[in-house]
Amino acid sequence: MNNPESALRSKMVSELATAHALLNCLIKEFALPENCLRYAWPKDMNGIAPGSYFDGVGWKGIPLTIGLPNQQQFFVLVDRRDRLGSHRYLSDIYARRGDGAWTCVGFPAFVEQLLAACQYMTCAQNDELVQQIMQSQCLTAAIVGHNSAAQQPDPLGGYLASEQGLWFGHPNHPAPKARLWPAHLAQETYAPEFQARTALHQFEVPRQGLNVAGNGLSDAQVLAGFADQSQARPGHAIICMHPVQAQLFMQDGRVQRLLASGLIVDRGTSGLLASPTASIRTWYVEGHAYFIKGSLNVRITNCVRKNAWYELESALIVDRLFRRLQLTQAATLGGLSVVSEPGLSSWAPAQASEADEKWFREQTGAILRENFCLATGADCSIMAGTLFARGTHLRPLVHEFLRRFNGEQIADQQLLDWFGEYQALLLRPVLALFFNHGIVMEPHLQNCVLTHDNGRPQQVLLRDFEGVKLTDELGSARLEADVHPRVRESLLYSRQQGWNRIVYCLFVNNLSEAVLALSWERPQLAPLMWQRVERQLRSIAAELSRAAPELEALIAGQPIACKTNLKVRLAAKADRQAGYVELVAPWGQEANCA
């Protein structure tokens, strides 16, 4: 039975979370780089009731006013002055144009006004973006409603719960829950936020046309990682797919003809019982040796999540590279722990044209990823994205997590020490790989898994080889000679591209969110946490075996690159075409005294 009061609360929470994500984008990508932000009250307070934010002793927060070139203005109270634009928002968001009165606008009007100002500044317009934002907000409302029920699992209660507990998605993205999902296939059945669990869809295909490869695994072991092959007829193999991908796959005329001829057989949802993780297309099978990462021809946030053929091959190349380094140069890896991806499979009809073969391989392609929970323990492994995210009450989950192991009262020093341990485990391997070996990781929050001992950080596992790149001036030398040119091209970054990606992921996407969550209601701790980061960077610089001019410049206060998630959506471009703006580093004497 629907509860109108619960539905209203879910709508309000989803609108607030979406508005804050948009405001984060505006501040990081426009207001700070363009010097349009002031930590000051507006000169004209018409429409803002100061009494609402004054407790008789002082103001309940710091005023933040944004004035944009098209005369659009926004005002909100925040808990801190932050150089990376990461704030706790303490008030309603007010808006006005020109000299008009301030108003606390509704969510649709806020979206319209914010996008209009950004379009004016970029001279770009994406008519689909408003629809994507609204779709994201509506799905978020459904997620909040579902997970507000008392019987739902604690999102930090264990590994799978953390993968399925990212209610609001990317906190610096305009439409973090936007999905071009087939309307007749319910999100509740297949999306992680609804604690989905379902059998994978299986097809029986001729072994002729099957492409199987593994590092340290036989073809039989790779195939067994995807499905029980004992059910296949002689000369055939069983492959598995995301159930939604299978439905999309079978809509294609080429596939329908193969099914009608009996060349391939649809075995339906008869595969391993699996749970979708936060990436939507990577499945966790409890007790199984591997995660299964399949294709999904659905646009999620910015990208269609299919396994491009060259990404399948590059995953195995990267896996081999890490194996070699761990065996021969472990001391130069900064304590690296990566989640291996040792096997892949794809299928295409034996007589297919070159174009059809590529299409089939990208539809059927899948990767085996090591199930680290078998070694680390599912109860002691947490996805970092959820660890530093908000619960349905819009407060950071990490404090509940820490209280579980440390009691109700967490001292400032405990928070500082915990953060110090986490950031060291994250920074050392990522920077060692870049400077010592020319390897570019993508250490954003969803690619990092924290293993802990009664809440204390033990290890940060880095995963997802699809995002790993090699710098053209150092990392490229580690590529094997016979690598296909398209695969080589997909793996290479310029040194500057690689550095920008690492800096954004480490400091803006990851550590900035960790600092904000841990210093919630204690903003005075944030500068102390960034001091620890600065000290750690100096320590890492002294450990490296090669010169690190970019790191030295960063320590000295060089700006930090921030990816432009909103700008790339305004331009209706693919995520890989996103650019960067520069933000001031949050350490140094000036920052610590702010």
Side-chain angles (χ1 to χ4, degrees), residues 559-582:
I560 286 174
C562 177
K563 183 182 168 189
T564 54
N565 294 308
L566 174 53
K567 285 184 176 179
V568 76
R569 293 308 307 135
L570 281 168
K573 292 181 178 178
D575 186 64
R576 63 179 177 273
Q577 295 177 278
Y580 294 87
V581 292
E582 292 185 342

Side-chain angles (χ1 to χ4, degrees), residues 213-227:
N215 293 329
L217 299 175
S218 66
D219 286 1
Q221 288 173 315
V222 172
L223 288 173
F226 293 111

Side-chain angles (χ1 to χ4, degrees), residues 103 120 194 234 317 381 503 510 543 545 547 551 558 589:
T103 58
Y120 181 87
F194 298 94
I317 291 170
S381 306
V503 166
N510 199 315
E543 295 175 1
S545 58
L551 181 56
Q558 180 176 313
Q589 187 62 33

Side-chain angles (χ1 to χ4, degrees), residues 322 325 333 336 429-439 441:
F322 280 129
L325 289 174
L333 304 180
L336 174 70
V430 173
L431 293 175
L433 283 173
F434 181 77
F435 289 111
N436 291 341
H437 301 287
I439 299 174
M441 301 300 289

